[in-house]
Amino acid sequence: MCRDILADVGWQNEHSVLIGRLVELDRLTVVLDSAAAGLAGVALVGGDAGIGKTRLVTELGERAKAAGFAVLVGQCAELGDALPYLPLADALRSARGELRAAIDARPVLGRLLPGGTDLGPETTSGLTQQQLFGSMLGFLAAQPVLLVLEDLHWADQSTRDLLVFLSRMLQTERVCLVGTYRTDDLHRRHPLRRVLAELKRLPSVTAVELSPLDRGEMADYLAALGGDDVQMIREVVDRAEGNPFYAEELLEAAIDGSLMTDGLASLLLSRAELLSDAAQRVLRGAAVAGRRVDHDLLRDASGLDELAFEEAMREIVSRGLLRTNGEYGYAFRHALLQEAVYTDLLPGERTRMHSEFARLLTVRKGAAAELAYHYLAGHDLAEALSASVEAGRRAERLGAPAEAHRHFEQALGLWDRVPEAERLAGMGHVRLALRTAAAAADMGDNHRAIAYARRIPPSAEASERLAYYLYDSDDVPGAITAAEAAVAAAPAGTPVLARALATLSRTLSWGARHAEVRPLADRALEVARATGASDAEKSATIMLASCAEFEGDLTRAEELFGSAAARDSGDLAMDLRAIFHYARIQFERGSMATAAVTADRGVRLARDAGLTWSTFGTDLRFLQFLIRYMAGEWTQAQETAAGFGTRVGKVPEAILSSFALFIEVAMGMPAVEERLTWLRPFWSDSLVAYMSRGLAAEHALWRQEPELALGHATAVLDTMDCIDVGSIRISAIALWALADLGRTDGADELLARARRAARPGMGFEGRAWLARAEAEWHRAHGRADVEAWRAVVEAFDVGFVYEAARSRWRLAEALLASGERVAALKEWERAVEDAESLGARPLSEALAELGRRARFAPAQAGLLTGREREVLALVAEGLPNREIGERLFIAQKTVSVHVSNILGKLGVSSRTQAAAVARKDGLL
């Protein structure tokens, strides 16, 4: 076989020495080393065509392999805009061992591979894309990976979206992601320019720009390639302008005795022209196929018999124009060569060859997107329309909405030019337009979706979809008008009517016509059940539950959310939404155990479906974290919070990161300061400010900085609506700061604001924070109100372990001030026990200080473990950590940890103070 004959032909450029790129290689190696240490990183390598990007990342790949990384390399192609995830599929093909098993465990990734898993039922492409993105993130966590995506200037939009997602979400995975692109191809409106601008602002991204080699480096490079004629090298250096690939081609032309023509394209073509007629014919066919081509396909397209084809291939490969690639194919030595040969084809020749490739690929059942590309280039519009529709369907099922939209849009553009278009497409023009609009919405372009929906002749289905897109674009009046038109046009007793009614109820919710929502939702539910429209049934049920919750009927709301969560609608996004709201209302009503079960169920469903990072998949993880945090299951809560990245670049990431502060502040973890540093730029967002700046205020209070805390709290309140229930908690924190400052100015206003935000049917946590605000108001006025703090403890004791312990701290203080020492000791001991079990260091330190002031010596002694008492005794003797470690046969670092814990528990700041307190309180 030809493959065996060519197997020993080298690929000179791959193994040439790396010259003049050590600085750039060192920068990439830093990213790789950081990834090896557990800090994922991204590198973007840009430069002109032929400047040496591939050679540089190849060297990085060798270093990565030596460091134990799996190296996956994917190549974009010039027709890659039509083929979704082409470089990803290319990279995954080379996965072996543990990584291959990780792919097999994620069917949505397996679909990208040749002969991959069945595409499954047609579904929302946006949801499938979320599954794919989440699956890819999980796949990369399997082992250390260097993932290289080459020639991103040709990448499809879905690949660009994946690149952005991974760049933002990779945090502690041992992953180094490298992308290369041509700077000279990025015209002003090139879609990659916006992506690069966004990525280069991220802290995890390193940008490396390759400049031309200088004259000395070029001379060294040519000498390494075998150039030994000084005059020849000088002439090549003068012409090549620092471009290694151009220099290599010039050198080979000179060595072969050919003219060193001006311009790289002319030079490349001059080398191709030295081939025999048969070899030129094969090379032109390869150029039409693209950067890479299958052996059998190229042979059949050439029209040559096996022997003639083998001779032609031997000639082409020996001259370094094509190289063997993979198991059954060939690739151009450089993309520039393929471009030069393709551009040189005559129009008729190009059309004929595309038609031949289309015919051959049809027989081989090739990729629909590739067929559409060749049929269109071959001017066969009928087959191009059919292939485009099929390519759109496949892109939908692969989770590539942008490519689905592109193919459907292309088919719509051909519709009026093709006889029997409906037969060829397998659907009518309206149905195709609706799918085009849906794909546009799935890729996040609601304006384009609206434009397509408006072009469709009015119908119930078209109007319902239009209403949906308008509502998501915040055009509520337009959405109401469209939804009413859908209801009016929908035939009675049909699924279309059920969906139209559900959408109309959604558009009217929380507005001036909210009173109409419940009757509409009731009617939608009735029609949906009668017609089997499970999606509309679940949507209507959720809307009815929301109405009941708004009206304060929480029992009915929980019942309805539970009903929606219990049934499978066939729509994963809708199912996750129902489970989230069911768990949420259980949580807000204080049913922690049942809320935990429901949230865990939702998290499992999201994980199994690859939707961990979908909207409701993420919300369910938030809720699961909060339930564990409140229930005192802090080990599990910490595990969940570890997935909330510190390095953030956008508001959604900042929201995710803010949740981790709940437990980090409560435990007094060093990570708080770094996380707050990343979050400060996003405090203009009300939700980020509510969580992270509100917790920054608590952090400041634990650090005895009440003035700073008050500033944080009042700044958050300034961004919130006065009736926002969240302002109750922030008002209580501000009152805590005022009390610590010994001030009353503004206290009455803060309590009034907290009371104003309270509403009927408010969950137990809201009621508890309101009680906290009342008690802190008394404390700010210098009153230790025992009953007020007892009410706070009772309110939080429903299921919030940490806040109950924090409230007992204040209750113990109030009881002491009232002379009730025995009761104070009891509350203090319970708070100490809970704080210690949680690992809530700041609270433990505050309780230790209270215990010292109150001389709760026996209980204070119980704060220390046996080992800590041993360490304290030796500290009191004046021994340093090293000698203590030697005495107790433990590491010096372990001694340091024990000493820190002792200082915190005793509420002191030095070893001398610890020894003094220990002697005074009889702890030794």
Side-chain angles (χ1 to χ4, degrees), residues 682-743:
F682 300 95
W683 281 353
S684 57
D685 179 83
S686 60
L687 183 54
V688 177
Y690 169 72
M691 287 195 293
S692 66
R693 197 163 190 183
L695 288 161
E698 289 196 19
H699 182 58
L701 285 164
W702 286 130
R703 291 162 58 92
Q704 309 303 316
E705 298 175 312
E707 195 71 57
L708 176 61
L710 183 61
H712 284 317
T714 53
V716 175
L717 288 170
D718 287 344
T719 69
M720 300 180 73
D721 191 296
C722 63
I723 60 170
D724 187 333
V725 71
S727 63
I728 300 175
R729 170 177 163 260
I730 303 299
S731 296
I733 294 170
L735 283 162
W736 175 4
L738 275 180
D740 281 5
L741 287 167
R743 288 165 42 187

Coordinates of all heavy atoms in Angstrom, one line a residue, residues 682-743:
F682 N -16.8 44.0 40.9 CA -18.2 43.7 40.5 C -19.2 44.1 41.6 O -20.4 43.7 41.5 CB -18.3 42.2 40.3 CG -17.4 41.7 39.3 CD1 -16.1 41.2 39.6 CD2 -17.7 41.7 37.9 CE1 -15.3 40.7 38.6 CE2 -16.9 41.3 36.9 CZ -15.6 40.8 37.3
W683 N -18.8 45.0 42.5 CA -19.8 45.4 43.5 C -20.8 46.4 43.0 O -21.8 46.8 43.7 CB -19.0 46.1 44.7 CG -18.4 45.0 45.6 CD1 -18.6 43.7 45.5 CD2 -17.5 45.2 46.7 NE1 -17.9 43.1 46.5 CE2 -17.2 44.0 47.3 CE3 -17.0 46.4 47.3 CZ2 -16.4 43.8 48.4 CZ3 -16.1 46.2 48.4 CH2 -15.9 45.0 48.9
S684 N -20.7 46.8 41.7 CA -21.8 47.6 41.1 C -23.0 46.8 40.8 O -24.1 47.3 40.6 CB -21.3 48.3 39.8 OG -20.8 47.3 38.9
D685 N -22.8 45.4 40.8 CA -23.9 44.5 40.6 C -24.6 44.3 41.9 O -24.0 43.9 42.9 CB -23.5 43.2 40.0 CG -24.6 42.2 39.8 OD1 -25.3 42.3 38.7 OD2 -24.8 41.4 40.7
S686 N -25.9 44.5 42.0 CA -26.6 44.4 43.2 C -26.5 43.0 43.9 O -26.4 43.0 45.2 CB -28.1 44.8 43.1 OG -28.7 43.9 42.1
L687 N -26.6 42.0 43.2 CA -26.6 40.6 43.8 C -25.2 40.3 44.3 O -25.0 39.8 45.4 CB -27.1 39.6 42.8 CG -27.1 38.1 43.3 CD1 -28.0 38.1 44.6 CD2 -27.7 37.2 42.3
V688 N -24.2 40.6 43.5 CA -22.8 40.4 44.0 C -22.5 41.2 45.2 O -21.9 40.8 46.2 CB -21.8 40.8 42.8 CG1 -20.3 40.6 43.4 CG2 -22.0 39.9 41.6
A689 N -23.0 42.5 45.2 CA -22.8 43.4 46.4 C -23.5 42.8 47.6 O -23.0 42.8 48.7 CB -23.2 44.8 46.0
Y690 N -24.7 42.4 47.4 CA -25.5 41.8 48.5 C -24.8 40.7 49.2 O -24.7 40.7 50.4 CB -26.9 41.3 48.0 CG -27.7 40.6 49.0 CD1 -28.2 41.2 50.2 CD2 -27.8 39.2 48.9 CE1 -28.9 40.4 51.1 CE2 -28.5 38.4 49.9 CZ -29.0 39.1 51.0 OH -29.7 38.3 51.9
M691 N -24.3 39.8 48.4 CA -23.6 38.6 49.0 C -22.2 39.0 49.4 O -21.8 38.9 50.6 CB -23.6 37.4 48.0 CG -25.0 36.8 47.9 SD -24.9 35.2 47.1 CE -24.3 35.6 45.4
S692 N -21.3 39.4 48.5 CA -19.9 39.5 48.8 C -19.6 40.7 49.6 O -18.8 40.7 50.6 CB -19.1 39.5 47.5 OG -19.3 40.7 46.7
R693 N -20.3 41.9 49.4 CA -19.9 43.0 50.2 C -20.6 42.9 51.5 O -20.1 43.4 52.5 CB -20.4 44.3 49.4 CG -19.7 45.6 50.1 CD -19.7 46.8 49.2 NE -18.9 47.8 49.7 CZ -18.8 49.0 49.2 NH1 -19.4 49.4 48.1 NH2 -18.0 49.9 49.8
G694 N -21.8 42.3 51.6 CA -22.4 42.1 52.9 C -21.5 41.2 53.7 O -21.4 41.4 54.9
L695 N -20.9 40.2 53.1 CA -20.0 39.3 53.9 C -18.7 40.0 54.2 O -18.0 39.6 55.2 CB -19.8 38.0 53.1 CG -21.1 37.1 53.1 CD1 -21.0 36.0 52.0 CD2 -21.2 36.4 54.5
A696 N -18.3 40.9 53.3 CA -17.1 41.7 53.6 C -17.4 42.5 54.9 O -16.4 42.7 55.7 CB -16.8 42.6 52.5
A697 N -18.6 43.0 55.1 CA -18.9 43.7 56.3 C -18.8 42.8 57.5 O -18.2 43.2 58.5 CB -20.4 44.2 56.2
E698 N -19.3 41.5 57.4 CA -19.2 40.6 58.5 C -17.7 40.3 58.8 O -17.3 40.2 60.0 CB -19.9 39.3 58.2 CG -21.4 39.4 58.2 CD -22.1 38.1 58.3 OE1 -21.4 37.1 58.7 OE2 -23.3 38.0 58.0
H699 N -16.9 40.1 57.7 CA -15.5 39.9 57.9 C -14.8 41.0 58.6 O -14.0 40.8 59.5 CB -14.9 39.7 56.5 CG -13.4 39.4 56.5 ND1 -12.9 38.3 57.1 CD2 -12.4 40.1 55.9 CE1 -11.6 38.3 56.9 NE2 -11.2 39.4 56.2
A700 N -15.2 42.3 58.3 CA -14.6 43.4 59.0 C -15.0 43.4 60.5 O -14.2 43.8 61.3 CB -15.1 44.7 58.3
L701 N -16.3 43.0 60.8 CA -16.7 43.0 62.2 C -15.9 42.0 63.0 O -15.5 42.3 64.1 CB -18.2 42.7 62.2 CG -19.1 43.9 61.8 CD1 -20.5 43.4 61.5 CD2 -19.1 44.9 62.9
W702 N -15.6 40.8 62.4 CA -14.8 39.8 63.1 C -13.4 40.4 63.3 O -12.7 39.9 64.3 CB -14.8 38.5 62.3 CG -16.1 37.7 62.4 CD1 -16.7 37.2 61.3 CD2 -16.8 37.3 63.5 NE1 -17.8 36.5 61.7 CE2 -17.9 36.5 63.1 CE3 -16.6 37.5 64.9 CZ2 -18.8 36.0 64.0 CZ3 -17.6 37.0 65.8 CH2 -18.6 36.2 65.3
R703 N -13.0 41.3 62.4 CA -11.6 41.8 62.6 C -11.6 43.1 63.4 O -10.6 43.8 63.3 CB -11.0 42.1 61.2 CG -10.8 40.8 60.4 CD -10.6 41.1 58.9 NE -9.6 42.0 58.6 CZ -8.3 41.7 58.3 NH1 -8.0 40.5 58.3 NH2 -7.4 42.7 58.0
Q704 N -12.7 43.4 64.1 CA -12.8 44.5 65.0 C -12.7 45.8 64.2 O -12.0 46.8 64.6 CB -11.7 44.5 66.1 CG -11.6 43.2 66.8 CD -13.0 42.8 67.5 OE1 -13.6 43.7 68.1 NE2 -13.4 41.6 67.4
E705 N -13.3 45.9 63.0 CA -13.3 47.1 62.1 C -14.7 47.5 61.8 O -15.2 47.4 60.7 CB -12.5 46.8 60.8 CG -11.1 46.5 61.0 CD -10.4 46.1 59.7 OE1 -10.9 45.3 59.0 OE2 -9.3 46.6 59.5
P706 N -15.5 47.9 62.9 CA -16.9 48.2 62.7 C -17.2 49.4 61.7 O -18.2 49.4 61.1 CB -17.4 48.5 64.1 CG -16.2 48.9 64.9 CD -15.1 48.1 64.3
E707 N -16.3 50.4 61.7 CA -16.5 51.5 60.8 C -16.4 51.1 59.4 O -17.3 51.5 58.6 CB -15.4 52.6 61.1 CG -15.7 53.9 60.5 CD -16.8 54.7 61.2 OE1 -16.7 54.9 62.4 OE2 -17.8 55.0 60.5
L708 N -15.5 50.2 59.0 CA -15.4 49.7 57.7 C -16.6 48.8 57.4 O -17.2 48.9 56.3 CB -14.1 48.8 57.5 CG -13.9 48.1 56.2 CD1 -13.9 49.1 55.0 CD2 -12.7 47.2 56.2
A709 N -17.1 48.0 58.3 CA -18.2 47.2 58.2 C -19.5 48.0 57.9 O -20.3 47.7 57.0 CB -18.5 46.3 59.4
L710 N -19.6 49.1 58.6 CA -20.8 50.0 58.4 C -20.8 50.6 57.0 O -21.8 50.7 56.4 CB -20.8 51.1 59.5 CG -22.0 52.0 59.5 CD1 -23.3 51.3 59.7 CD2 -21.8 53.1 60.5
G711 N -19.6 51.0 56.6 CA -19.5 51.5 55.2 C -19.9 50.5 54.2 O -20.6 50.8 53.2
H712 N -19.5 49.2 54.3 CA -19.9 48.2 53.4 C -21.4 48.0 53.4 O -22.0 47.9 52.4 CB -19.2 46.9 53.8 CG -17.7 46.8 53.4 ND1 -17.3 47.2 52.2 CD2 -16.7 46.3 54.1 CE1 -15.9 47.0 52.2 NE2 -15.6 46.4 53.3
A713 N -22.0 47.9 54.6 CA -23.4 47.6 54.7 C -24.2 48.7 54.1 O -25.2 48.4 53.4 CB -23.8 47.3 56.2
T714 N -23.9 50.0 54.5 CA -24.7 51.1 53.9 C -24.6 51.2 52.4 O -25.5 51.5 51.7 CB -24.3 52.4 54.6 OG1 -22.9 52.6 54.5 CG2 -24.7 52.4 56.1
A715 N -23.4 50.9 51.9 CA -23.2 50.9 50.4 C -24.1 49.8 49.8 O -24.7 50.1 48.7 CB -21.7 50.7 50.1
V716 N -24.2 48.7 50.4 CA -25.1 47.6 49.8 C -26.5 48.1 49.9 O -27.3 47.9 48.9 CB -24.9 46.3 50.6 CG1 -25.9 45.2 50.1 CG2 -23.5 45.8 50.4
L717 N -26.9 48.6 51.0 CA -28.3 49.1 51.1 C -28.7 50.1 50.1 O -29.8 50.2 49.6 CB -28.6 49.6 52.5 CG -28.7 48.5 53.6 CD1 -28.7 49.2 55.0 CD2 -29.9 47.6 53.4
D718 N -27.7 50.9 49.7 CA -27.9 52.0 48.7 C -28.3 51.4 47.3 O -28.9 52.1 46.5 CB -26.7 52.9 48.6 CG -26.5 53.8 49.8 OD1 -27.5 54.0 50.6 OD2 -25.4 54.4 50.0
T719 N -27.8 50.2 47.1 CA -28.1 49.5 45.8 C -29.4 48.7 45.7 O -29.8 48.3 44.7 CB -26.9 48.6 45.4 OG1 -26.9 47.5 46.2 CG2 -25.6 49.3 45.4
M720 N -30.0 48.5 46.9 CA -31.1 47.6 47.0 C -32.5 48.4 47.0 O -32.5 49.5 47.5 CB -31.0 46.8 48.2 CG -29.8 45.9 48.3 SD -29.7 44.9 49.8 CE -30.9 43.7 49.4
D721 N -33.5 47.7 46.5 CA -34.8 48.3 46.6 C -35.3 48.2 48.1 O -35.0 47.3 48.8 CB -35.8 47.4 45.7 CG -37.2 48.1 45.6 OD1 -37.8 48.2 46.6 OD2 -37.5 48.4 44.4
C722 N -36.0 49.3 48.5 CA -36.3 49.4 49.9 C -37.2 48.2 50.4 O -37.3 47.9 51.6 CB -37.0 50.7 50.2 SG -38.6 50.9 49.3
I723 N -37.9 47.5 49.5 CA -38.8 46.4 49.9 C -38.2 45.1 49.6 O -38.8 44.0 49.7 CB -40.2 46.5 49.2 CG1 -40.0 46.4 47.7 CG2 -40.9 47.8 49.6 CD1 -41.4 46.3 46.9
D724 N -36.9 45.1 49.2 CA -36.2 43.8 48.9 C -36.0 43.1 50.3 O -35.4 43.7 51.2 CB -34.8 44.1 48.3 CG -34.1 42.9 47.8 OD1 -34.3 41.8 48.4 OD2 -33.3 42.9 46.9
V725 N -36.4 41.9 50.4 CA -36.3 41.2 51.7 C -34.9 41.0 52.1 O -34.6 40.9 53.3 CB -37.1 39.8 51.6 CG1 -36.3 38.8 50.7 CG2 -37.3 39.2 53.0
G726 N -34.0 41.0 51.2 CA -32.6 40.8 51.5 C -32.0 42.0 52.3 O -31.0 41.8 53.0
S727 N -32.7 43.1 52.2 CA -32.2 44.3 53.0 C -32.4 44.1 54.5 O -31.8 44.8 55.3 CB -32.9 45.6 52.5 OG -34.3 45.5 52.8
I728 N -33.2 43.1 54.9 CA -33.3 42.9 56.3 C -32.0 42.4 56.9 O -31.5 42.9 57.9 CB -34.4 41.8 56.6 CG1 -35.8 42.3 56.0 CG2 -34.5 41.5 58.1 CD1 -36.9 41.2 56.1
R729 N -31.4 41.4 56.2 CA -30.1 40.9 56.7 C -29.0 42.0 56.7 O -28.3 42.2 57.7 CB -29.7 39.8 55.8 CG -28.2 39.3 56.0 CD -27.9 38.1 55.2 NE -26.4 37.9 55.2 CZ -25.6 38.3 54.2 NH1 -26.2 38.9 53.1 NH2 -24.3 38.2 54.2
I730 N -29.0 42.8 55.7 CA -27.9 43.8 55.6 C -28.2 44.9 56.6 O -27.2 45.4 57.3 CB -27.9 44.5 54.2 CG1 -27.7 43.4 53.1 CG2 -26.8 45.5 54.1 CD1 -26.4 42.6 53.3
S731 N -29.4 45.2 56.9 CA -29.8 46.2 58.0 C -29.3 45.7 59.3 O -28.8 46.4 60.2 CB -31.3 46.5 58.0 OG -31.7 47.1 56.8
A732 N -29.5 44.4 59.6 CA -29.1 43.8 60.8 C -27.6 43.9 61.0 O -27.0 44.1 62.1 CB -29.6 42.3 60.9
I733 N -26.8 43.6 59.9 CA -25.4 43.7 59.9 C -24.9 45.2 60.2 O -24.0 45.4 61.0 CB -24.7 43.2 58.6 CG1 -25.0 41.7 58.5 CG2 -23.2 43.5 58.6 CD1 -24.7 41.2 57.1
A734 N -25.6 46.1 59.6 CA -25.3 47.5 59.8 C -25.5 47.9 61.3 O -24.8 48.7 61.9 CB -26.1 48.4 58.9
L735 N -26.6 47.4 61.9 CA -26.9 47.6 63.3 C -25.9 47.0 64.2 O -25.5 47.6 65.2 CB -28.3 47.1 63.6 CG -29.5 48.0 63.1 CD1 -30.8 47.2 63.1 CD2 -29.6 49.3 63.9
W736 N -25.4 45.8 63.8 CA -24.3 45.2 64.6 C -23.1 46.1 64.6 O -22.5 46.4 65.7 CB -24.0 43.9 63.9 CG -22.8 43.1 64.5 CD1 -22.0 43.4 65.6 CD2 -22.3 41.9 64.0 NE1 -21.0 42.5 65.8 CE2 -21.2 41.5 64.8 CE3 -22.6 41.0 62.9 CZ2 -20.4 40.3 64.6 CZ3 -21.9 39.9 62.7 CH2 -20.8 39.5 63.5
A737 N -22.8 46.7 63.4 CA -21.6 47.6 63.4 C -21.9 48.9 64.2 O -21.0 49.3 65.0 CB -21.4 48.0 61.9
L738 N -23.1 49.4 64.2 CA -23.4 50.6 65.0 C -23.3 50.3 66.5 O -22.7 51.1 67.3 CB -24.8 51.1 64.7 CG -25.0 52.0 63.5 CD1 -26.5 52.4 63.4 CD2 -24.2 53.3 63.7
A739 N -23.7 49.1 66.9 CA -23.7 48.7 68.3 C -22.2 48.6 68.7 O -21.9 49.0 69.8 CB -24.4 47.4 68.5
D740 N -21.4 48.0 67.9 CA -20.0 47.9 68.2 C -19.3 49.2 68.3 O -18.3 49.4 69.1 CB -19.2 47.0 67.2 CG -19.5 45.5 67.4 OD1 -20.3 45.2 68.3 OD2 -18.9 44.7 66.7
L741 N -19.8 50.2 67.5 CA -19.2 51.5 67.6 C -19.8 52.3 68.7 O -19.3 53.4 69.0 CB -19.5 52.3 66.3 CG -18.7 51.8 65.0 CD1 -19.4 52.4 63.8 CD2 -17.3 52.3 65.1
G742 N -20.8 51.8 69.4 CA -21.4 52.6 70.5 C -22.2 53.8 70.0 O -22.3 54.8 70.7
R743 N -22.8 53.7 68.8 CA -23.5 54.8 68.2 C -25.0 54.4 68.0 O -25.3 53.3 67.7 CB -22.9 55.2 66.8 CG -21.5 55.9 67.0 CD -20.8 55.9 65.6 NE -21.6 56.3 64.5 CZ -21.2 56.2 63.2 NH1 -19.9 55.9 63.0 NH2 -22.0 56.5 62.3

